[in-house]
C-alpha cells in the first residue's frame, strides 16, 4: 500500500539532455531537491544563468520557478552532484554504435565513476534506453569500486519530445524494473505524486523493463511503417489512405492513433531503438525479420515524394523549393534523423535551391547546412520566388494557412505535402497542384 505522506528527496540526474533536464525539472517541481550533472560545460554554464538549451513546451516555467526557489541545481562535477542523493538517475546517451547496437560507453563510464564516490546506500536508476542485461552490467561496474550497498533499477522513459513535460508529469504508466524491495519502496514514493489519478506504476524484473521500452518504440515504428506501406499501395490501386485510416481506426483493437501516413518516422528514438532491438536480437541468434523490413521501408519512405518532384519538374536544376518544417515532428527543435534533412540533401544534390522555415528548429539546421540553404523568418517568406512548397513537418501553423496569401506568394501553386495536411477537395477547388501520400494527386 502506498503511504499518503512522502519525504522529499535529494536526487541527482546524470546527463542533462532532453530526458535528464525534463526529469530533473519535474522531480524538482514535486518538491525534491535535484542536481543535474553534465560534462558539457557550456550547457551547465547556461543553465546556471537560467538559459535553457532546448525548447520544450512548459519547461521554462517549471525550470525558472524551481531554480529560483532553490530546488534545482546544475554542475559539471559528478562528485558534487551526488552528495546526499538518495537516488541517482542516469539519463545518458545510448547512440547507435558502428554495428547499430546501443553504445553503452556513456552509461558504463558514469557507472564506473560512481563506484568510488558512493558513501551510503543509493538507488541508481537507469532512464536511458538500454538493451536487456544493462542493469546487470551497470551494477557490476559500480561494484568494482563501491564500498557501500546500492541497487540498480531500470526505469525506461516514455516521454515524447514536444509534450515531454506533460508526459512526465502525467505518465500513462511508469515502468520500474527491480527485484529489490528497498529500491521499490523508494521509487514508489518518488513517483506517487505523478500517478495520483490512478495510472499504474508497473513493477517487473529489470530485463523485462529494459525490453518493454524497445518493444514499445519498435511497435509504434512498425505501426507507422505499416500505414505508410498501405498508403503506397493506395496510390497504386487508386484508394484513399485517409478513408482506409478512418475505416480501420474505428476498430478498437487497432485504435485511432499512430495511423497517419507520411514521409516516415525520424527523431532520436525510433530509428536507433528499432535498429538496436534488431541488433540485440541478432546477438542472441534471433532473426527479427519484421524490424529489418520496418527499417528498409522507412528509409525509402523518407524520400517517397522525390520521384514525383522529379517527374513534375523534369530537372530540379535552378528550381527553388520552399520547405515548411525541419524538425522530425512538431513542437520540438530536434532534427535528429528528421525526414526534412534527407529531402534537403536530395534537393541540393539535384541542383535546387532550398528556402526553409521552421518555428523552432532553424538554428539547429543552420549548424549543419550553414548558408547552403536559406532560412526564412516566416512561412510565407519562404515561398517568395519558390517553384513549389514542400511540407516535411506537421506544425499546427502550417495546417490552416491563408490559401489566398499562399497563392499570391507561390504563383505556381504546386505543393508536395509529406504530411497530408490539406483536404483534397479544397485543393481542387483552389486550383492547386497537390501531391500527398497515399491519396489522389490533384492537378490544378
Ligand atoms: P541527449 O543527447 O539530449 O542528452 C544526453 C546528455 O548526457 C548530454 O547533455 C551529454 O552531454 C550528457 N553526457 C554524456 N556523457 C556524460 C557524462 N559522462 N556525464 C554527464 N553527462 C554526460 O540525450 P536524450 O535525448 O536526453 O536521451 C538520453 C537517453 O534517454 C537515451 O538513451 C535515449 O534513447 C533515451 N530517451 C530519449 C527520449 C527523447 O525523446 N529524447 C525519450 C525517451 C528515452
Amino acid at each position: 500500500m502506498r503511504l499518503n505522506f512522502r519525504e522529499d528527496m535529494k536526487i541527482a540526474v546524470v546527463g542533462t539532455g532532453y530526458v535528464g533536464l525534463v526529469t530533473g525539472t519535474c522531480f524538482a517541481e514535486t518538491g525534491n531537491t535535484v542536481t543535474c550533472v553534465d560534462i558539457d560545460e557550456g550547457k551547465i554554464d547556461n543553465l546556471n544563468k537560467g538559459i535553457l538549451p532546448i525548447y520544450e513546451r512548459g519547461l521554462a516555467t517549471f525550470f525558472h520557478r524551481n531554480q529560483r526557489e532553490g530546488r534545482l541545481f546544475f554542475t559539471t562535477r559528478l562528485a558534487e552532484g551526488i552528495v546526499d542523493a538518495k537516488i541517482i538517475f542516469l539519463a545518458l546517451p545510448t547512440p547507435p554504435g558502428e554495428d547499430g547496437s546501443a553504445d553503452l560507453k556513456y552509461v558504463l563510464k558514469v557507472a564506473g565513476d560512481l563506484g568510488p564516490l558512493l558513501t551510503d546506500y543509493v538507488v541508481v536508476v537507469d532512464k536511458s534506453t538500454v538493451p536487456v542485461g544493462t542493469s546487470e552490467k551497470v551494477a557490476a561496474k559500480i561494484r568494482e569500486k563501491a564500498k557501500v550497498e546500492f541497487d540498480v533499477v531500470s526505469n525506461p522513459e516514455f516521454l515524447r519530445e514536444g509534450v515531454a513535460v506533460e508526459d512526465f508529469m502525467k505518465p500513462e504508466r511508469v515502468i520500474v524494473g527491480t527485484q529489490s524491495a528497498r529500491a521499490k519502496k523508494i521509487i514508489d514514493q518518488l513517483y506517487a505524486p505523478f500517478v495520483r489519478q490512478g495510472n499504474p506504476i508497473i513493477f517487473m524484473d529489470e530485463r523485462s523493463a529494459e525490453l518493454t521500452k524497445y518493444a514499445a518504440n519498435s511497435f509504434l515504428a512498425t505501426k507507422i511503417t505499416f500505414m505508410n506501406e498501405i498508403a503506397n499501395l493506395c496510390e497504386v490501386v487508386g484508394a484513399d489512405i485517409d478513408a482506409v485510416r478512418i475505416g480501420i481506426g474505428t476498430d478498437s483493437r487497432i485504435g485511432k492513433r499512430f495511423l497517419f501516413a507520411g514521409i516516415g518516422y525520424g527523431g532520436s528514438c525510433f530509428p536507433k531503438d528499432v535498429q538496436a532491438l534488431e541488433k540485440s536480437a541478432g546477438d542472441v541468434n534471433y532473426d527479427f525479420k519484421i524490424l529489418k523490413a520496418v527499417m528498409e521501408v522507412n528509409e525509402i519512405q523518407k524520400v517517397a515524394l522525390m520521384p514525383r518532384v522529379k517527374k513534375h519538374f523534369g530537372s530540379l536544376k535552378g528550381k527553388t523549393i520552399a520547405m515548411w518544417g525541419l524538425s522530425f515532428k512538431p513542437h520540438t527543435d530536434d532534427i535528429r534523423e528528421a525526414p526534412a534533412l534527407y529531402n534537403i540533401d536530395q534537393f541540393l544534390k539535384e541542383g535546387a535551391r532550398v528556402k526553409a522555415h521552421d518555428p523552432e528548429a532553424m538554428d539547429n539546421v543552420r549548424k549543419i547546412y550553414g548558408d547552403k540553404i536559406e532560412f526564412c523568418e516566416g512561412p510565407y517568406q519562404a515561398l517568395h520566388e519558390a517553384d513549389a512548397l514542400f511540407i516535411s513537418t506537421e506544425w499546427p501553423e502550417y495546417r490552416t494557412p491563408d490559401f489566398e496569401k499562399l497563392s499570391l506568394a507561390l504563383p505556381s501553386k504546386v505543393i508536395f505535402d509529406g504530411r497530408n495536411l490539406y483536404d483534397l477537395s479544397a485543393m481542387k477547388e483552389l486550383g492547386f497542384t497537390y501531391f500527398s501520400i497515399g491519396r489522389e494527386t490533384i492537378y490544378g
Side-chain angles (χ1 to χ4, degrees):
M1 198 185 78
R2 193 171 297 140
L3 298 174
N4 284 332
F5 69 90
R6 58 184 286 280
E7 220 183 297
D8 291 326
M9 290 186 248
K10 175 111 199 315
I11 294 169
V13 180
V14 188
T16 313
Y18 274 95
V19 171
L21 185 57
V22 171
T23 299
T25 305
C26 292
F27 280 139
E29 180 66 17
T30 50
N32 302 291
T33 303
V34 181
T35 303
C36 295
V37 182
D38 205 287
I39 47 169
D40 183 335
E41 288 184 11
K43 187 184 271 190
I44 294 297
D45 273 356
N46 278 337
L47 285 162
N48 277 323
K49 285 183 205 145
I51 302 168
L52 282 170
I54 52 165
Y55 167 75
E56 198 50 66
R57 227 171 7 178
L59 183 63
T61 312
F62 282 5
F63 169 78
H64 292 302
R65 176 165 54 229
N66 286 286
Q67 201 171 37
R68 196 174 54 238
E69 293 178 4
R71 284 190 300 271
L72 186 57
F73 302 92
F74 299 93
T75 179
T76 52
R77 288 195 287 274
L78 183 64
E80 182 187 303
I82 64 162
V83 171
D84 294 334
K86 208 165 175 177
I87 312 178
I88 301 171
F89 279 89
L90 307 182
L92 294 154
T94 48
E98 264 171 40
D99 63 355
S101 59
D103 189 345
L104 292 179
K105 70 171 180 242
Y106 301 97
V107 173
L108 294 179
K109 164 82 172 67
V110 171
D113 292 348
L114 277 177
L117 298 175
L118 302 182
T119 53
D120 207 346
Y121 172 80
V122 71
V123 184
V124 177
V125 184
D126 182 20
K127 254 209 177 304
S128 299
T129 303
V130 291
V132 171
T134 302
S135 296
E136 292 145 49
K137 287 185 187 162
V138 168
K141 201 79 198 157
I142 297 175
R143 204 171 295 120
E144 280 174 11
K145 300 245 169 83
K147 293 193 178 64
V148 295
E149 275 186 63
F150 64 91
D151 279 305
V152 175
V153 169
S154 167
N155 170 220
E157 181 49 56
F158 292 88
L159 64 77
R160 296 162 298 164
E161 285 180 22
V163 282
V165 172
E166 208 178 307
D167 279 351
F168 199 94
M169 294 305 289
K170 288 185 183 165
E172 283 186 342
R173 75 281 185 228
V174 177
I175 301 289
V176 183
T178 182
Q179 291 164 83
S180 153
R182 192 175 181 184
K184 184 175 177 215
K185 195 171 160 210
I186 293 171
I187 298 296
D188 199 39
Q189 267 191 21
L190 175 70
Y191 275 111
F194 298 87
V195 291
R196 291 181 64 233
Q197 288 177 343
N199 288 349
I201 302 176
I202 304 171
F203 288 97
M204 56 180 79
D205 66 274
E206 295 84 345
R207 288 183 159 242
S208 302
E210 287 163 345
L211 190 54
T212 299
K213 172 68 190 179
Y214 278 114
N217 274 0
S218 298
F219 183 82
L220 294 171
T222 304
K223 198 172 177 188
I224 294 170
T225 306
F226 178 82
M227 284 310 282
N228 285 338
E229 288 233 84
I230 294 287
N232 295 340
L233 185 61
C234 281
E235 283 169 23
V236 181
V237 299
D240 184 304
I241 188 62
D242 280 341
V244 177
R245 173 177 59 78
I246 292 164
I248 66 169
T250 41
D251 182 332
S252 61
R253 293 170 304 173
I254 294 173
K256 294 187 176 68
R257 300 173 71 187
F258 269 75
L259 293 183
F260 287 88
I263 49 171
Y265 63 78
S268 65
C269 292
F270 285 3
K272 96 172 161 56
D273 293 351
V274 172
Q275 196 182 20
L277 181 56
E278 191 276 325
K279 181 71 183 63
S280 65
D283 290 345
V284 290
N285 296 321
Y286 186 80
D287 184 13
F288 213 138
K289 296 188 191 68
I290 289 183
L291 295 186
K292 284 184 180 150
V294 167
M295 288 187 281
E296 193 188 329
V297 172
N298 196 58
E299 275 312 295
I300 300 166
Q301 195 66 22
K302 282 190 266 196
V303 287
L305 282 172
M306 267 307 156
R308 276 173 277 173
V309 173
K310 285 183 194 163
K311 191 166 170 221
H312 179 79
F313 285 113
S315 163
L316 277 165
K317 227 182 189 69
K319 299 287 177 210
T320 298
I321 305 294
M323 184 172 284
W324 281 5
L326 298 169
S327 55
F328 82 92
K329 67 172 183 180
H331 306 294
T332 178
D333 60 356
D334 196 340
I335 56 162
R336 291 178 278 187
E337 294 293 317
L341 307 191
Y342 287 80
N343 286 288
I344 290 175
D345 288 344
Q346 294 264 327
F347 284 129
L348 295 180
K349 201 173 110 206
E350 297 290 330
R353 167 184 171 215
V354 177
K355 296 181 73 185
H357 174 264
D358 186 283
E360 295 294 340
M362 291 202 286
D363 286 346
N364 285 337
V365 175
R366 198 176 278 118
K367 285 179 203 152
I368 300 176
Y369 290 92
D371 57 9
K372 285 201 196 112
I373 66 173
E374 287 167 52
F375 296 93
C376 303
E377 281 305 306
Y380 297 98
Q381 212 174 311
L383 299 171
H384 183 60
E385 293 178 348
D387 296 288
L389 165 64
F390 188 100
I391 301 174
S392 307
T393 318
E394 63 277 32
W395 281 95
E397 67 180 278
Y398 304 148
R399 282 178 195 274
T400 48
D402 178 341
F403 283 110
E404 210 169 301
K405 200 168 159 191
L406 202 157
S407 307
L408 285 173
L410 182 74
S412 72
K413 295 176 89 170
V414 177
I415 301 178
F416 295 91
D417 181 357
R419 299 296 170 191
N420 287 0
L421 295 190
Y422 308 134
D423 184 58
L424 293 183
S425 48
M427 290 290 99
K428 218 175 263 177
E429 215 167 288
L430 291 163
F432 279 89
T433 295
Y434 181 65
F435 300 86
S436 54
I437 305 283
R439 305 190 299 174
E440 181 195 352
T441 297
I442 307 298
Y443 292 98

